[in-house]
Amino acid sequence: MAGIGSRPLIPGLQGPSLSSVEDFRISVNVDPAAIPANLRKNCILFYTNDMEELAKKVAGHADGNIELGKIRWKKFADGFPDLFVEDALHIRNRHVAFLASFHNPSVIFEQISVIYALPRLFVGSFTLVLPFFPTGTLERERFYFGDAVLPLFESGVPLLLERLRQLPDRDNITIAYPDEGAWKRFHYSFKNEGFPEVICTKVRDGAKRLVQIKEGDPRGRHVVIVDDLVQSGGTLIECHNVLASMGAKH
């Protein structure tokens, strides 16, 4: 998740109690009920059409602290975006967020237009929430948003851990990493939960890059693959094939 400005909240997740602004800044995935009243921000949340359902769910879990804003998404006859922020005067001096989706390059241009327009409407603060950015390298972030913006990357690992704890075969779960880079980034999170690990590595075979198991045994296990960056998905597929060939159950 990438954000601009204040750190976005993820409603409904458990987290530590907060007593200061500094606690609020460094905490991730906190329960809104744990935030003191003086630190809560009433926010207007705008969203792209693809994110309407999620935006309504977020607002529904925010205990009245999130108000949904409206953008009219239309196109001119030549296909270029014809966008209009409804009730623009209402958002002056307010905390504003935009729930975006960069799932396809064809939808990015019109959303970039909104991302640049909203802060110019004299808002108190602006936060861009991008739940999934499959090619979100720092280089691409700088290209899209410029050097004046500081991206904040939030991990989905806490959500994954919460789900894994609920699975009936939790004791049979193994975490697999497609390469050493993913292992270095995430293994501490899963190690603390006691999950066994499989570490894969990439080797060259002529012009091809193949995935091989470096450490661990997936035989008979429910294996969950965790990676830090997805582009074409080829590495994930190759990793799946190797794990299955070595006896992974799921």
Side-chain angles (χ1 to χ4, degrees):
M1 177 183 293
I4 297 174
S6 58
R7 188 182 297 266
L9 298 180
I10 303 179
L13 298 179
Q14 298 299 318
S17 61
L18 306 175
S19 58
S20 69
V21 173
E22 186 61 26
D23 288 339
F24 173 69
R25 287 174 177 168
I26 65 175
S27 296
V28 180
N29 299 332
V30 297
D31 183 352
I35 303 174
N38 65 313
L39 297 182
R40 296 180 187 178
K41 293 183 177 181
N42 187 277
C43 175
I44 300 178
L45 176 62
F46 292 91
Y47 52 89
T48 182
N49 286 334
D50 293 323
M51 288 296 186
E52 182 175 2
E53 182 179 356
L54 178 58
K56 290 180 178 179
K57 288 182 179 180
V58 170
H61 284 82
D63 195 25
N65 290 315
I66 294 181
E67 172 187 345
L68 294 181
K70 293 183 179 180
I71 297 175
R72 186 181 65 195
W73 300 86
K74 294 185 177 181
K75 292 183 181 296
F76 291 108
D78 59 5
F80 276 80
D82 177 14
L83 310 176
F84 182 78
V85 178
E86 297 188 10
D87 201 10
L89 292 178
H90 177 61
I91 71 175
R92 288 193 174 192
N93 299 316
R94 302 285 300 277
H95 299 295
V96 172
F98 178 63
L99 183 57
S101 174
F102 285 5
H103 65 280
N104 189 301
S106 64
V107 302
I108 293 178
F109 177 70
E110 60 184 15
Q111 293 181 65
I112 290 290
S113 301
V114 171
I115 290 167
Y116 277 98
L118 286 174
R120 294 190 175 98
L121 296 176
F122 303 100
V123 300
S125 68
F126 176 70
T127 300
L128 167 64
V129 182
L130 196 55
F132 179 60
F133 194 2
T135 57
T137 62
L138 285 176
E139 291 77 13
R140 295 195 184 203
E141 291 282 359
R142 293 192 183 99
F143 174 79
Y144 289 133
F145 305 120
D147 293 334
V149 172
L150 177 62
L152 301 175
F153 292 96
E154 302 286 5
S155 172
V157 168
L159 294 173
L160 176 58
L161 285 171
E162 184 69 22
R163 176 59 178 155
L164 294 180
R165 295 186 192 108
Q166 298 170 0
L167 294 179
D169 62 343
R170 181 192 186 284
D171 294 335
N172 194 45
I173 291 176
T174 290
I175 305 299
Y177 307 99
D179 54 38
E180 291 88 346
W183 175 80
K184 289 178 181 178
R185 175 167 291 189
F186 295 123
H187 84 101
Y188 284 110
S189 299
F190 296 97
K191 181 180 179 180
N192 293 335
E193 295 288 330
F195 292 114
E197 297 176 322
V198 171
I199 305 173
C200 299
T201 187
K202 298 175 185 176
V203 297
R204 288 196 174 275
D205 181 11
K208 297 181 180 180
R209 296 186 68 185
L210 304 178
V211 175
Q212 296 181 351
I213 293 179
K214 179 181 178 181
E215 297 180 22
D217 186 0
R219 284 179 294 180
R221 306 288 294 182
H222 177 177
V223 181
V224 178
I225 303 174
V226 177
D227 203 356
D228 57 342
L229 181 65
V230 178
Q231 290 182 310
S232 67
T235 299
L236 294 180
I237 294 174
E238 183 68 21
C239 185
H240 164 271
N241 293 339
V242 171
L243 293 167
S245 69
M246 296 298 292
K249 185 177 180 181
H250 296 292

